[in-house]
Amino acid sequence: MTSLTVTGLNKSFGALKVTDDVSLSVEPGEFHAIIGPNGAGKTTLISQLSGQLRSDSGAVRLGDHDVSRLSMPERVRLGLARSFQITSVLPGFTALENVALAVQARDGSSYRFFGRVSDESPLNGEAMTALREAGLDRRAHVLAKSLSHGEHRRLELAIALATRPKVLLLDEPLAGVGGEDAEAFIENLRKLKGRFTMVLIEHDMDAVFALADRVSVLVYGRIIATGAPEEIRNDPEVRAAYLGEEEGEAA
Amino acid sequence: MTELTATATPANRPALSGRVKAALVLFVLFALMPPVASALDDPFYVLIGTRIIAYAIAAMALDLILGYGAMVSFGHAAYLGFGTYAVAILSRHGINDLFLQIVFAMGISAVFAFVTGAISLRTRGVYFIMITLAFGQMAFFFFISLSAYGGDDGVALAQRSTVLGMDLLETNFGLYYVSLALLIGLFFLCHRIVGSRFGRVLTGVRENPTRMEAIGFSPFRYQLTAFIISGCITGVAGVILANQAQFVSPAFMSWHKSGELIVMVVLGGVGTLAGPIAGAVAALMLEEWLGHFSDNWKLYFGIFLVLMVLFSPHGITGVLRKMGLVRGQE
Amino acid sequence: MMNLFVLQLLNGVQLGVLLFLIAAGLTLVFGIMDVINLAHGVLYMVGAYLIATFAAATGSFWWGLLLTLPAAVVVGLVVEFVVMRRLYARSHLDQVLATFGLVMIANEAVKMIWGTSPLSVPMPEIFSGSVPLMGPLKYPVYRIVIIAAGLAVALGLFVMVNYTRVGMLLRAGATNRDTVSALGVDINRLFAIVFTLGAVLACLAGAMVAPILSVDTGMGESVLILTFVVVVIGGIGSIKGAFLGALLVATVDTIGGVFGPIWLRSFLDPSAAGQMGRVLAPMLVYILMAVILFAKPAGLFGRRA
Ligand SMILES: Nc1ncnc2c1ncn2[C@@H]1O[C@H](COP(=O)(O)OP(=O)(O)OP(=O)(O)O)[C@@H](O)[C@H]1O
Ligand SMILES: [Mg+2]
């Protein structure tokens, strides 16, 4: 288990400051939620942490490693994985193949030109485990492009799990998932709790307060509060900036 | 993608995929062609057949990166040229062995593919197409100004290559069957590559490069490797072509040839390996056939191309699939 | 030596101006429509054949030029309407194939209509002389006229792109196609205008150069690849990039071809230098392209790689 430490992270798109001096430290094994209104810069922050976007300034540390200058693949290989808010999978591959490729990425060389990869049972076995943990094992042999939206969200999770992350960044895994499906999904996530460090971005407040050890609130690219779920729920500034209407809706 | 199960054992997966079956049918037809041609007293076809085989190899090699890696290389004729000049250069120095010539052709191709690929692959889309085209043209001009080998006019070869000291290729039949053997061997090589770990990464990058990075792959190095492999195999096609024509010139590497290779791949079906082999047969036979009717066959070929793109986006396989003659895949 | 240099420099600029006229349209088509058009060189060739025909029919270069321009507009509109329009939404691969088909059709059609032997276009009377440059050196007036006309067109294009509404749309479209459609602009019309503008510029280049070249079917080919190099070096969608790229490519090509061997001779023995110079000269522009792309994959002024 590794911790994630972010110091003074910044990012602007032109004149728009999307990440504004964000510092954050996530303890080993912690389940940390980040909430914030639409357009607050949550996805941008995740992209900076994962290395998909280059930060203007600031540092990201994964355990003892400074990963600020590393590319996304390099960070993944050190154990920093992410999922995407907007599903991003390999549409022409089956669910199992999608996940098996993530297993392959960290297990042995991909410069093997002759053996049939579809016959490699260790790869397929591990991929099946990840699919099961995400609740998608029954649809393993369906092409990703034929999966439903809810199944896509599960596939995103399964792929991220298969990289065997030390720190896992989840960008709205429940986006567009509702009702019983969401509850089952939250249950899947709860089972993963404590296995690795997790950063969860989520609009679904039930999920956040059910799962998170600590919550940070991001508004206009700044973290305005961090604390235990109860503290955040009662923080007047947070209520003013963000929670007020959501609480009203939920009630 | 082939059918895949978590508990896959050799016993429960289909013995041969449809794609391999299609290729085997093609190979049998290829093998039967010379006896039929000589029975019809038209041995000239054997020589044309060899040319078709050479282009089939090149088209298949291009498909490896175009179909499986979404890299539209518009400079692949350069590698055909390297293959032909490898024969000319070595035979000038008294080395006629086919295998040494193939190794040499692959060496030149690998170096060129490495350098130009490393630059071209930093870009994508329209840039990639234009840059590979430009590099192909650079190779073309290099050989045009290489006066030691005839420059623009090229140079005739005194003899065909030898195989382990034997002059197996001296007869057109011998050359044809050795070429066919190479085609079959290289097809199975490509087939294995496509189904391997490496092939899966390559295809994954084609499908979604960002996703591949997010699970820990750097697309560049795999694309570059595939680019080099494809160049090397195309180089082998060039070696055959030199023996077939017994003549070597920069004309083999003009950008029109690169365009024709792409036509063959698309005609036969992108990302199918066996398809481009059929595509090479179809395109070259169409050329021969149109050539019988008119000196201006290129006009009709061009019209055919435009119409094909506008009305049948998936090439011949697209048409066949629409007619229900080929099962859809993927 | 100095004279030779000035002469080659002028030749380089003259080639550069022509390349720019062809590349300007191409880079807009690439940048705004994201369409690759291999048949752009063909338009240059067609321009030359058109003026050859019209000049022969009317007996005057000027009447020929005057008739070539509207004919070029027609050619552009027809090609756009019949083929290009159907390609915008298609893959680059489809675009490559269809426009490759167009190249074959055009080359063959030109051979069928005008025959295979090269045509020549008479030089307009008033520009047929030479002017003294420096010392004994003279330079043909017509080439200077080409340079001046090309620069004038370049200037006009600059003004249009930077100060008119169409130009604003072009610039917006080259960087972000979605904004343009969001502005409620009829994209189809904008595309037709851009393509036709590019076609006319290429035809104009062909027409202008016709009196000093022999007009034949190969002329579009050699220029097409050079134009690609220009566009790639300058950065797709950038007029400014196309202009600088064209001058750079053209001067490197002409000056390098002459002075490369001379320079090589300063540290190689003459025969080796001559040999190497001959081999390297035609490759120079491609090496230039490789170096620039290595440093800047999106070209000098490109925003999207
Ligand atoms: N590549 C980009 N270029 C310009 N602006 C961008 C870019 N990506 C994001 N933005 C802007 O940055 C801001 C933050 O976007 P981001 O996607 O990070 O928000 P978010 O908190 O994830 O929102 P949501 O809750 O809707 O997912 C938005 O105003 C968005 O328009
Ligand atoms: Mg978001």
Side-chain angles (χ1 to χ4, degrees):
Chain A
M1 253 178 248
T2 314
S3 67
L4 180 71
T5 320
V6 182
T7 35
L9 216 55
N10 285 294
K11 178 80 197 174
S12 299
F13 292 118
L16 183 68
K17 184 129 205 184
V18 183
T19 303
D20 190 355
D21 194 25
V22 167
S23 296
L24 183 72
S25 123
V26 184
E27 299 301 313
E30 181 183 339
F31 197 124
H32 195 108
I34 296 178
I35 60 174
N38 288 97
K42 304 181 296 293
T43 298
T44 306
L45 179 62
I46 291 280
S47 299
Q48 286 175 268
L49 297 183
S50 65
Q52 191 186 359
L53 267 182
R54 195 170 284 278
S55 301
D56 296 341
S57 63
V60 180
R61 297 182 67 82
L62 183 69
D64 300 329
H65 291 277
D66 184 353
V67 298
S68 313
R69 308 204 165 279
L70 300 186
S71 68
M72 178 150 72
E74 287 167 330
R75 294 185 200 195
V76 176
R77 274 177 258 140
L78 287 175
L80 180 60
R82 73 167 291 180
S83 75
F84 291 91
Q85 177 178 357
I86 298 169
T87 303
S88 175
V89 295
L90 310 173
F93 282 41
T94 65
L96 184 71
E97 286 166 339
N98 266 281
V99 183
L101 202 45
V103 179
Q104 179 185 324
R106 60 166 168 74
D107 177 57
S109 170
S110 284
Y111 280 99
R112 291 194 207 150
F113 298 93
F114 302 111
R116 285 176 61 105
V117 62
S118 53
D119 290 348
E120 290 192 41
S121 11
L123 281 190
N124 293 334
E126 273 206 55
M128 270 321 258
T129 309
L131 281 172
R132 201 169 301 120
E133 281 168 350
L136 196 62
D137 44 330
R138 293 182 177 194
R139 303 279 280 163
H141 303 296
V142 178
L143 287 183
K145 66 179 165 203
S146 314
L147 294 174
S148 71
H149 174 75
E151 288 167 341
H152 273 148
R153 304 311 301 154
R154 290 174 184 278
L155 183 54
E156 276 282 335
L157 176 64
I159 294 173
L161 288 177
T163 64
R164 276 216 201 134
K166 298 190 179 106
V167 174
L168 178 57
L169 313 170
L170 294 172
D171 192 357
E172 299 201 28
L174 288 161
V177 184
E180 286 176 25
D181 215 12
E183 277 166 37
F185 206 130
I186 292 173
E187 208 34 53
N188 286 122
L189 289 178
R190 193 199 306 282
K191 284 192 197 131
L192 299 171
K193 213 179 145 168
R195 242 173 61 184
F196 33 72
T197 309
M198 263 199 269
V199 174
L200 170 76
I201 288 180
E202 197 42 77
H203 275 305
D204 184 330
M205 289 304 134
D206 294 337
V208 169
F209 289 116
L211 295 167
D213 299 315
R214 285 198 302 158
V215 180
S216 290
V217 184
L218 192 74
V219 179
Y220 292 124
R222 292 181 144 271
I223 292 194
I224 60 165
T226 298
E230 275 316 303
E231 286 167 50
I232 293 297
R233 212 196 279 269
N234 299 322
D235 186 315
E237 198 187 341
V238 173
R239 294 183 75 103
Y242 176 62
L243 276 182
E245 70 244 57
E246 294 267 338
E247 284 285 83
E249 275 169 33
Chain B
M1 279 292 111
T2 44
E3 190 51 32
L4 181 143
T5 44
T7 52
T9 59
N12 68 10
R13 71 161 200 260
L16 284 177
S17 71
R19 203 159 292 174
V20 176
K21 271 187 215 153
L24 288 177
V25 171
L26 278 173
F27 296 150
V28 169
L29 292 179
F30 267 120
L32 292 178
M33 196 278 275
V36 174
S38 55
L40 296 174
D41 217 22
D42 217 344
F44 180 59
Y45 280 119
V46 177
L47 213 50
I48 296 182
T50 309
R51 185 159 149 263
I52 292 180
I53 289 176
Y55 280 104
I57 292 176
M60 183 179 71
L62 179 58
D63 189 34
L64 192 63
I65 57 167
L66 196 158
Y68 294 88
M71 293 174 256
V72 183
S73 165
F74 210 129
H76 249 51
Y79 303 97
L80 273 184
F82 296 147
T84 57
Y85 275 95
V87 175
I89 292 169
L90 284 193
S91 76
R92 169 84 53 95
H93 294 90
I95 302 172
N96 285 307
D97 186 75
L98 181 69
F99 291 104
L100 289 179
Q101 290 172 342
I102 285 180
V103 169
F104 187 50
M106 289 169 86
I108 306 174
S109 301
V111 172
F112 188 78
F114 176 76
V115 174
T116 63
I119 294 171
S120 322
L121 283 169
R122 287 153 60 88
T123 66
R124 38 192 98 268
V126 172
Y127 273 97
F128 183 81
I129 298 173
M130 288 199 280
I131 295 166
T132 47
L133 174 54
F135 279 131
Q137 206 64 7
M138 175 172 109
F140 175 71
F141 281 123
F142 175 82
F143 285 104
I144 280 206
S145 48
L146 201 64
S147 46
Y149 290 89
D152 216 348
D153 300 327
V155 54
L157 297 174
Q159 61 164 109
R160 284 186 179 156
S161 310
T162 55
V163 181
L164 302 172
M166 298 175 290
D167 53 1
L168 265 188
L169 310 184
E170 268 322 302
T171 66
N172 289 343
F173 272 78
L175 176 63
Y176 181 90
Y177 281 108
V178 169
S179 306
L180 181 59
L182 280 171
L183 170 65
I184 295 174
L186 290 169
F187 169 79
F188 282 103
L189 178 76
C190 290
H191 180 68
R192 291 302 284 264
I193 291 177
V194 165
S196 72
R197 277 185 166 223
F198 177 82
R200 193 175 265 185
V201 176
L202 186 64
T203 331
V205 172
R206 171 191 75 187
E207 299 263 315
N208 185 347
T210 309
R211 166 44 80 192
M212 294 300 282
E213 289 186 70
I215 57 177
F217 290 108
S218 310
F220 177 81
R221 63 177 75 168
Y222 299 99
Q223 290 181 309
L224 184 57
T225 307
F227 195 78
I228 295 170
I229 294 174
S230 171
C232 289
I233 297 177
T234 313
V236 177
V239 172
I240 296 175
L241 214 48
N243 276 291
Q244 188 266 351
Q246 288 191 271
F247 174 73
V248 161
S249 92
F252 287 117
M253 32 198 344
S254 89
W255 71 274
H256 281 260
K257 283 273 180 285
S258 297
E260 282 169 40
L261 287 178
I262 296 182
V263 171
M264 291 169 190
V265 173
V266 175
L267 205 54
V270 169
T272 58
L273 292 183
I277 298 177
V281 178
L284 292 172
M285 302 232 297
L286 189 63
E287 266 183 45
E288 292 279 335
W289 183 68
L290 289 175
H292 276 297
F293 287 105
S294 154
D295 290 337
N296 304 105
W297 62 269
K298 278 191 174 174
L299 177 75
Y300 304 107
F301 199 88
I303 292 174
F304 165 76
L305 262 186
V306 173
L307 293 179
M308 181 184 83
V309 173
L310 294 186
F311 297 107
S312 168
H314 298 289
I316 291 179
T317 35
V319 175
L320 294 179
R321 206 175 300 157
K322 258 189 217 154
M323 290 160 50
L325 294 178
V326 171
R327 262 186 311 140
Q329 20 89 20
E330 286 196 1
Chain C
M1 188 75 166
M2 189 60 201
N3 287 347
L4 185 61
F5 183 79
V6 171
L7 200 69
Q8 290 303 331
L9 191 66
L10 279 172
N11 281 342
V13 171
Q14 183 246 300
L15 177 63
V17 162
L18 282 177
L19 279 181
F20 168 71
L21 288 185
I22 309 168
L26 198 63
T27 201
L28 286 178
V29 169
F30 285 149
I32 294 173
M33 314 183 200
D34 195 31
V35 170
I36 180 159
N37 178 16
L38 297 171
H40 201 74
V42 160
L43 296 165
Y44 166 79
M45 169 184 75
V46 166
Y49 272 98
L50 284 177
I51 200 167
T53 311
F54 291 137
T58 59
S60 145
F61 174 86
W62 298 110
W63 277 110
L65 187 62
L66 212 62
L67 289 170
T68 298
L69 291 178
V73 172
V74 173
V75 169
L77 284 174
V78 167
V79 173
E80 202 275 342
F81 188 77
V82 175
V83 181
M84 299 309 288
R85 175 160 296 201
R86 289 155 221 274
L87 295 176
Y88 298 145
R90 304 291 282 275
S91 69
H92 289 144
L93 188 56
D94 283 347
Q95 296 165 358
V96 162
L97 285 171
T99 55
F100 183 57
L102 281 184
V103 172
M104 292 176 121
I105 295 173
N107 283 346
E108 237 20 67
V110 163
K111 269 185 211 156
M112 286 163 81
I113 299 172
W114 283 286
T116 45
S117 46
L119 307 181
S120 64
V121 174
M123 173 106 35
E125 201 66 38
I126 43 167
F127 296 142
S128 57
S130 303
V131 288
L133 268 188
M134 35 194 282
L137 192 65
K138 287 187 166 189
Y139 200 71
V141 177
Y142 189 72
R143 285 179 184 262
I144 294 177
V145 171
I146 290 185
I147 295 177
L151 289 178
V153 174
L155 191 69
L157 214 53
F158 243 85
V159 171
M160 192 198 87
V161 167
N162 288 313
Y163 301 103
T164 65
R165 185 178 142 77
V166 172
M168 187 271 289
L169 292 176
L170 293 189
R171 273 179 294 137
T175 40
N176 192 346
R177 231 161 304 142
D178 302 335
T179 28
V180 176
S181 32
L183 288 174
V185 173
D186 181 352
I187 277 284
N188 275 336
R189 246 188 62 201
L190 182 68
F191 281 8
I193 292 172
V194 172
F195 186 84
T196 307
L197 177 70
V200 171
L201 289 175
C203 282
L204 179 66
M208 283 196 334
V209 82
I212 54 172
L213 277 186
S214 64
V215 176
D216 64 25
T217 47
M219 66 185 283
E221 312 266 297
S222 49
V223 106
L224 173 74
I225 318 273
L226 272 188
T227 316
F228 278 2
V229 174
V230 166
V231 169
V232 165
I233 286 181
I236 289 180
S238 165
I239 296 272
K240 187 165 56 166
F243 186 72
L244 289 179
L247 288 181
L248 196 61
V249 164
T251 37
V252 165
D253 198 36
T254 41
I255 304 237
V258 177
F259 287 89
I262 297 177
W263 175 69
L264 283 173
R265 226 172 290 155
S266 61
F267 54 88
L268 286 174
D269 72 89
S271 79
Q275 178 87 23
M276 220 173 125
R278 266 196 304 283
V279 172
L280 279 181
M283 291 168 67
L284 270 181
V285 290
Y286 302 101
I287 296 170
L288 173 76
M289 176 189 82
V291 170
I292 289 180
L293 287 180
F294 195 76
K296 300 194 79 171
L300 294 176
F301 296 97
R303 269 155 291 201
R304 288 179 306 195

